[in-house]
Amino acid sequence: MGGRGRSRTQRKHFRQSRENVWKRPKSDDSTNAAPDDANSGRDPSWEPFATQNPAFDEYYKEQEIVPAEEWDTFIEYLRKPLPAAFRINSSSQFYVDIRLQLENDFMKSLQAEDADGSEVEAIKPLLWYPDNLAWQSNFSRNQLRKNQTLERFHEFLKLENEIGNITRQEAVSMVPPLFLDVCPDHFVLDMCAAPGSKTFQLLEMIYKLTEPGTLPSGMVIANDLDVQRCNLLIHQTKRMCTANLIVTNHEAQHFPSCHLHRNQHGDSQIGNIREPSIRQLQFDRVLCDVPCSGDGTLRKAPDIWRKWNSGNGNGLHGLQVQIAMRGLALLKVGGRMVYSTCSMNPVENEAVVAEVLRRCGESIELVDVSTELPHLARRPGLKKWKVRDKGQWWASYKDVPKYRRSVVTPGMFPSGKSHDETSELDHETEPRQLCENADDNTENGIPVVDGSVAPTNSLEAEVSPLPLERCMRIVPHDQNSGAFFIAVLHKISSLPAPAATEKKPRNPSKETDTSSTQPQELMDKVKEDSTGDDINLSGEKDTQISEANPDGDLLDTEMGEVSLDANQNKVNEENEKEETRPSPDAKDDAKMVAGKRKLQIQGRWKGVDPVIFYKDEAVVGRIMEFYGIKESLPFKGHLITRNNDMNHVKRIYYISNSVKEVLELNFLAGQQLKIASVGLKMFERQTSKEGASAPCLFRISSEGLPLILPHITKQILYASAVDFKHLLQYKSIKFPDFVDPDFGQKASELMLGCCVIVLKREGQASSDSWEDVMPIAIGCWRGRTNISVMVTALDCQELLERVSTLMLTKEDSKPDGNNPSIPEAGEEGTVNGSDIKEDGTEIAPVTLD
């Protein structure tokens, strides 16, 4: 079960048990363990999670996911704790400094020991990740927390992660975005985005080569079904400080396209809009990292050993096909989609890709990317596999008895054929007893069937004629990682008519039997969730499984009914027709066939704040005048708020051109997108008494400062390193107390309200501009007698370290040993963008275009 289904106390015990799973003594001898337990005061009844499961071993040996001679090594790695991995965020202002610190400091100062006591490399860059931006540590998370010698490195990781300079992420989870080949002008959809590490990667790719103060022409829509996971996604991506992101809350298999019909008129909220630049939401790139059984994350989530069974993968197959098909329908012709899972199960991997290829015909190509990322160890996809259900192995759909054909579908098999021949078991209406004690024989809390009693019905599994070897499998023992599956799909042409690809509908009256695939606690949770208010556009009750997400902790993932019945086919048909029909009727777009429930196209979604274009010209005019914002930053139509009452707006958000286009389309199409978060927080209302008397009520937010900084010409000052450092240390300094009296005088001449203090850079030529180097700057408040910092404690801590390092470097470069931080005599400086000189060096003014 994921975090949402447990109480706070239960979640605490769950986390503790996960941390303790790797604390088993080297010797498992119970006689040796008992005295140790007594001496340590540990509860002798406590048992760590088991790291074995006979059903798991039987299943994957039969599927031959690794050669027989590698099986022992494969299992050995699965039982080891996963090395910690993290990624330097290339969008960070200090990413080069962080990389140099890792290369020149921690790589040399840290040492690690292997299990046998031999010394190994403590931290190292992942060679397959570009520009040495991804790193792996041979220390487990527990070691990082407990080992005092690693305290400095651990504190470094924690600080940089909280600030947003690095992201802790499982190494294999970083792979799928790399194969999308994202460019700055691409529209990208992340269909199942939470917790957001991959979304962060996609945003970095969008922002690559973007100059400071500018925005890329592309954008990312990050979607997730669960509201709580959307909050996690928003928190994760907030560190990016981007105006090119929309976070939505939809079922991925029913993600809306906002198709704009020819006679559809604009929403009154945005007034008269000229012909929009886009009339349907389509994407250049789609990341389809679907919900899965998650057994590829066993090394970081060892509780999966206990609850693993093959039925979880079978139950997700249909949903995974639906999501993949919807992603391809939303993909532009010529676009690329990556399908990925953190599962090793071929029913969730190759079987889904094969079914999608069969449905799409020649319109979709499975891309061979074996030459890309040459340092990444990967294995080709499987071309043959079997399906296990109710303790039976099936090599072909024709062998499946009728009473199981509502669960085991043709698409799960390599050929995908629905054979006319009937099995000798077709006449049966009840399952056979496989062995005498099948119901009582359990291992780790789940049923285990004697494989010798339940052999396969066919000697050989079917072999797929499709080029599934172009898929990629990452296995743990190749590069000491988790397991992952990746397939890259290219859209050659529009999808074919659904009639040519859909299978004959089956009788929807037969219920899907999930009793064999779900533990009883999950079935109880399903009943509990069935009374919830979650929006279900399919009209069917959701079931729920626990997804082990490789980007974070175990998280819940909603799952719709997955049997390919008549309703299922109709939903897929509507999705595919949307792309092929020229002008579908609006009413057809607003209906979901299965549940006969209409999309909510009223003014706003229930429980979700509306997205409103901010049009108070008087307030906007005062903001532009107060900060001297240049015309180089487009404002008209780029400011939004989430508050209906324009007189009580607390926050104003800035959006890019690409996001503006999508929002306008969404309004015209009836607000089909349920938007959880959008825009970059640019301005916040100052609510203090002093703020109420300021000429401008809105201050620049820390998130928006990097974007707006090159475009402001007023309320900005340059501070020497020592004064800048003092501001970070003491948070508030009176005008006469600055080391540089000239700076204190200029500060007193600023208008009451928000101001920006920039760290002066030495040695910058007059031809330099902020397009070359982004300065270090902080938002402050010019009070009646002082300057106060408006920066979080974490940001202050990081900036203090950066400034201190700069001061030390500058000190070392001075042969005479003079203090470089104290301004020398004759230093000049003016306010509001004029030139500032230090030691005769002219500093580029802010007003330069």
Side-chain angles (χ1 to χ4, degrees):
M1 299 291 290
R4 193 178 67 161
R6 294 188 295 268
S7 68
R8 181 177 298 178
T9 303
Q10 288 173 323
R11 289 197 298 269
K12 179 180 178 181
H13 290 316
F14 178 74
R15 287 194 299 269
Q16 290 174 342
S17 63
R18 283 185 56 195
E19 292 175 5
N20 291 334
V21 70
W22 302 118
K23 296 181 180 179
R24 181 193 295 271
K26 290 184 179 180
S27 173
D28 288 332
D29 190 303
S30 58
T31 59
N32 295 333
D36 184 60
D37 289 344
N39 294 335
S40 64
R42 188 172 56 190
D43 183 1
S45 64
W46 180 86
E47 289 292 338
F49 287 125
T51 54
Q52 60 182 0
N53 185 321
F56 176 92
D57 293 354
E58 179 199 357
Y59 185 82
Y60 282 120
K61 282 182 178 178
E62 185 72 23
Q63 301 288 21
E64 298 179 351
I65 62 168
V66 295
E69 61 271 16
E70 295 183 27
W71 179 261
D72 290 342
T73 305
F74 167 71
I75 287 295
E76 179 186 352
Y77 269 81
L78 279 180
R79 290 172 180 163
K80 291 180 179 180
L82 184 70
F86 60 92
R87 182 173 49 78
I88 304 172
N89 299 330
S90 60
S91 59
S92 167
Q93 182 178 359
F94 306 110
Y95 83 93
V96 174
D97 297 335
I98 294 171
R99 184 174 59 191
L100 288 173
Q101 187 173 1
L102 288 167
E103 292 172 343
N104 300 329
D105 181 359
F106 290 117
M107 275 191 74
K108 297 176 181 178
S109 62
L110 295 177
Q111 293 181 347
E113 288 188 357
D114 205 349
D116 59 1
S118 59
E119 188 174 304
V120 296
E121 202 170 16
I123 62 169
K124 61 179 179 181
L126 297 171
L127 297 179
W128 46 264
Y129 201 95
D131 303 324
N132 271 15
L133 291 177
W135 291 70
Q136 180 167 294
S137 165
N138 281 310
F139 304 113
S140 69
R141 288 193 174 189
N142 278 332
Q143 287 176 307
L144 287 174
R145 294 190 189 105
K146 306 298 182 183
N147 193 326
Q148 292 184 353
T149 61
L150 302 176
E151 184 177 358
R152 187 171 71 93
F153 181 56
H154 188 218
E155 290 301 318
F156 164 82
L157 291 180
K158 285 200 304 183
L159 175 63
E160 300 298 346
N161 180 69
E162 291 181 40
I163 293 171
N165 291 333
I166 70 169
T167 297
R168 294 191 185 189
Q169 184 179 2
E170 187 176 344
V172 289
S173 171
M174 305 175 192
V175 176
L178 298 179
F179 285 104
L180 270 178
D181 190 26
V182 174
C183 297
D185 61 341
H186 281 164
F187 278 48
V188 185
L189 173 63
D190 191 350
M191 300 188 75
C192 309
S197 299
K198 296 184 187 69
T199 304
F200 207 117
Q201 282 181 268
L202 297 173
L203 286 167
E204 288 181 339
M205 295 171 183
I206 291 289
Y207 272 81
K208 191 174 184 180
L209 305 178
T210 302
E211 297 176 343
T214 64
L215 293 173
S217 56
M219 56 94 64
V220 175
I221 292 183
N223 176 73
D224 203 88
L225 170 64
D226 187 87
V227 175
Q228 292 182 351
R229 297 191 68 192
C230 275
N231 292 333
L232 180 62
L233 171 60
I234 294 167
H235 175 75
Q236 181 86 301
T237 54
K238 182 182 178 181
R239 304 175 305 156
M240 180 72 186
C241 299
T242 175
N244 295 66
L245 172 69
I246 299 176
V247 177
T248 60
N249 178 212
H250 290 281
E251 291 178 316
Q253 68 270 34
H254 302 309
F255 191 88
S257 69
C258 298
H259 194 108
L260 189 61
H261 313 300
R262 291 177 181 174
N263 299 324
Q264 202 158 347
H265 299 287
D267 192 294
S268 59
Q269 189 181 147
I270 54 176
N272 295 324
I273 294 180
R274 295 181 181 180
E275 185 70 16
S277 56
I278 53 176
R279 298 189 63 86
Q280 183 176 355
L281 198 54
Q282 288 189 307
F283 300 90
D284 302 280
R285 299 290 185 266
V286 173
L287 178 58
C288 188
D289 187 50
V290 297
C292 65
S293 58
D295 56 17
T297 65
L298 278 165
R299 298 183 68 181
K300 67 178 291 186
D303 55 301
I304 296 177
W305 282 107
R306 174 181 53 82
K307 63 185 179 182
W308 185 94
N309 68 79
S310 60
N312 285 341
N314 294 349
L316 280 167
H317 172 85
L319 176 64
Q320 292 161 341
V321 171
Q322 287 184 63
I323 295 175
M325 288 300 298
R326 186 58 185 152
L328 290 171
L330 293 166
L331 187 66
K332 294 178 182 178
V333 173
R336 175 178 282 199
M337 183 178 91
V338 167
Y339 175 87
S340 62
T341 76
C342 54
S343 169
M344 296 180 281
N345 195 335
V347 175
E348 300 178 72
N349 297 331
E350 287 89 352
V352 173
V353 174
E355 178 66 10
V356 166
L357 292 174
R358 285 190 290 265
R359 293 189 185 190
C360 297
E362 296 181 356
S363 62
I364 298 297
E365 175 192 15
L366 184 58
V367 184
D368 181 3
V369 290
S370 57
T371 58
E372 299 181 25
L373 303 183
H375 292 290
L376 176 66
R378 87 289 298 266
R379 303 190 181 202
L382 304 177
K383 290 184 69 81
K384 63 177 183 177
W385 61 89
K386 302 170 185 176
V387 177
R388 185 171 175 83
D389 173 64
K390 284 284 191 179
Q392 282 276 55
W393 282 103
W394 309 113
S396 174
Y397 183 70
K398 66 182 176 63
D399 297 328
V400 180
K402 283 185 177 180
Y403 72 87
R404 296 306 296 166
R405 290 191 176 186
S406 61
V407 178
V408 180
T409 62
M412 294 180 179
F413 293 89
S415 71
K417 294 179 181 178
S418 178
H419 298 273
D420 293 330
E421 305 96 311
T422 57
S423 167
E424 62 179 358
L425 301 178
D426 280 355
H427 65 278
E428 295 187 14
T429 58
E430 296 294 335
R432 285 189 301 183
Q433 186 73 22
L434 298 178
C435 58
E436 268 183 38
N437 61 346
D439 293 333
D440 298 324
N441 183 23
T442 61
E443 180 73 23
N444 298 324
I446 63 171
V448 176
V449 178
D450 185 355
S452 63
V453 181
T456 57
N457 287 358
S458 300
L459 295 177
E460 291 294 332
E462 295 176 338
V463 178
S464 174
L466 299 168
L468 298 178
E469 67 278 1
R470 297 178 184 176
C471 301
M472 289 171 282
R473 282 183 163 267
I474 299 176
V475 293
H477 57 291
D478 278 348
Q479 288 184 319
N480 194 16
S481 66
F484 227 79
F485 174 86
I486 302 155
V488 181
L489 301 165
H490 175 236
K491 190 169 184 178
I492 300 173
S493 60
S494 296
L495 300 185
T501 57
E502 292 294 340
K503 295 178 176 55
K504 182 179 178 181
R506 279 190 295 279
N507 185 358
S509 63
K510 293 185 178 181
E511 295 182 358
T512 300
D513 182 1
T514 59
S515 59
S516 66
T517 64
Q518 304 284 356
Q520 185 58 42
E521 60 181 10
L522 288 182
M523 301 308 294
D524 294 339
K525 184 66 172 66
V526 171
K527 295 177 183 178
E528 177 185 332
D529 286 349
S530 64
T531 59
D533 294 327
D534 287 345
I535 296 174
N536 180 358
L537 299 182
S538 69
E540 298 175 334
K541 293 296 182 183
D542 287 345
T543 57
Q544 196 173 52
I545 69 159
S546 176
E547 176 197 1
N549 193 297
D551 296 344
D553 293 336
L554 291 180
L555 299 164
D556 284 342
T557 300
E558 299 290 344
M559 179 184 103
E561 293 289 346
V562 296
S563 60
L564 296 178
D565 54 14
N567 290 341
Q568 171 89 44
N569 290 333
K570 288 181 180 179
V571 171
N572 289 337
E573 181 177 333
E574 285 298 306
N575 291 341
E576 293 175 1
K577 276 186 177 179
E578 189 171 49
E579 182 185 55
T580 56
R581 60 191 177 195
S583 294
D585 185 72
K587 293 181 180 179
D588 292 336
D589 258 355
K591 289 183 179 180
M592 298 314 302
V593 178
K596 300 180 181 178
R597 186 180 298 183
K598 292 185 178 180
L599 283 169
Q600 187 168 352
I601 57 174
Q602 289 83 8
R604 66 189 216 174
W605 292 84
K606 181 180 178 181
V608 178
D609 292 332
V611 179
I612 299 172
F613 281 90
Y614 190 76
K615 292 187 174 182
D616 192 329
E617 295 183 1
V619 173
V620 174
R622 283 196 295 270
I623 291 174
M624 296 187 70
E625 171 61 24
F626 184 75
Y627 295 108
I629 299 173
K630 298 184 289 186
E631 294 182 357
S632 55
L633 182 67
F635 254 43
K636 186 176 181 180
H638 289 263
L639 299 179
I640 63 169
T641 181
R642 304 301 299 267
N643 193 339
N644 264 325
D645 187 354
M646 288 295 176
N647 295 321
H648 295 86
V649 170
K650 294 182 179 179
R651 300 173 188 87
I652 300 175
Y653 299 86
Y654 189 87
I655 56 174
S656 66
N657 270 322
S658 51
V659 171
K660 178 174 176 282
E661 291 176 356
V662 172
L663 291 182
E664 289 175 347
L665 172 66
N666 185 46
F667 281 124
L668 291 174
Q671 298 193 54
Q672 294 181 30
L673 288 177
K674 184 180 179 184
I675 297 175
S677 177
V678 59
L680 170 67
K681 185 169 66 176
M682 184 69 78
F683 303 107
E684 287 187 280
R685 184 186 292 270
Q686 191 69 16
T687 56
S688 65
K689 291 182 179 179
E690 191 175 63
S693 60
C696 180
L697 297 178
F698 286 89
R699 63 181 177 87
I700 300 173
S701 72
S702 297
E703 296 95 323
L705 182 58
L707 175 61
I708 200 174
L709 181 58
H711 306 282
I712 60 176
T713 59
K714 298 179 181 178
Q715 295 295 107
I716 183 169
L717 285 179
Y718 291 92
S720 63
V722 65
D723 279 330
F724 196 90
K725 182 178 180 180
H726 286 171
L727 273 171
L728 294 172
Q729 285 177 323
Y730 305 119
K731 306 300 187 294
S732 180
I733 299 179
K734 292 184 178 181
F735 301 138
D737 294 338
F738 284 103
V739 173
D740 180 0
D742 192 36
F743 177 82
Q745 177 62 33
K746 295 177 192 140
S748 67
E749 295 171 359
L750 294 176
M751 287 188 286
L752 182 70
C754 178
C755 62
V756 178
I757 307 299
V758 181
L759 176 64
K760 280 193 288 193
R761 293 177 289 148
E762 185 183 21
Q764 182 183 20
S766 60
S767 60
D768 292 344
S769 65
W770 284 358
E771 282 74 21
D772 300 317
V773 180
M774 190 66 184
I776 298 176
I778 54 174
C780 295
W781 185 264
R782 190 278 194 194
R784 301 190 184 280
T785 61
N786 61 355
I787 295 289
S788 299
V789 173
M790 294 188 294
V791 178
T792 66
L794 276 175
D795 287 335
C796 278
Q797 181 181 347
E798 184 207 25
L799 289 173
L800 268 173
E801 292 182 5
R802 304 293 174 200
V803 173
S804 299
T805 302
L806 288 173
M807 292 175 68
L808 288 173
T809 304
K810 190 175 178 182
E811 177 76 23
D812 293 340
S813 65
K814 294 266 186 177
D816 57 358
N818 290 337
N819 187 341
S821 305
I822 301 176
E824 298 177 3
E827 176 182 331
E828 300 179 9
T830 58
V831 188
N832 299 337
S834 300
D835 294 346
I836 300 175
K837 295 182 180 180
E838 182 179 8
D839 299 333
T841 303
E842 186 177 18
I843 302 298
V846 183
T847 52
L848 280 180
D849 291 327

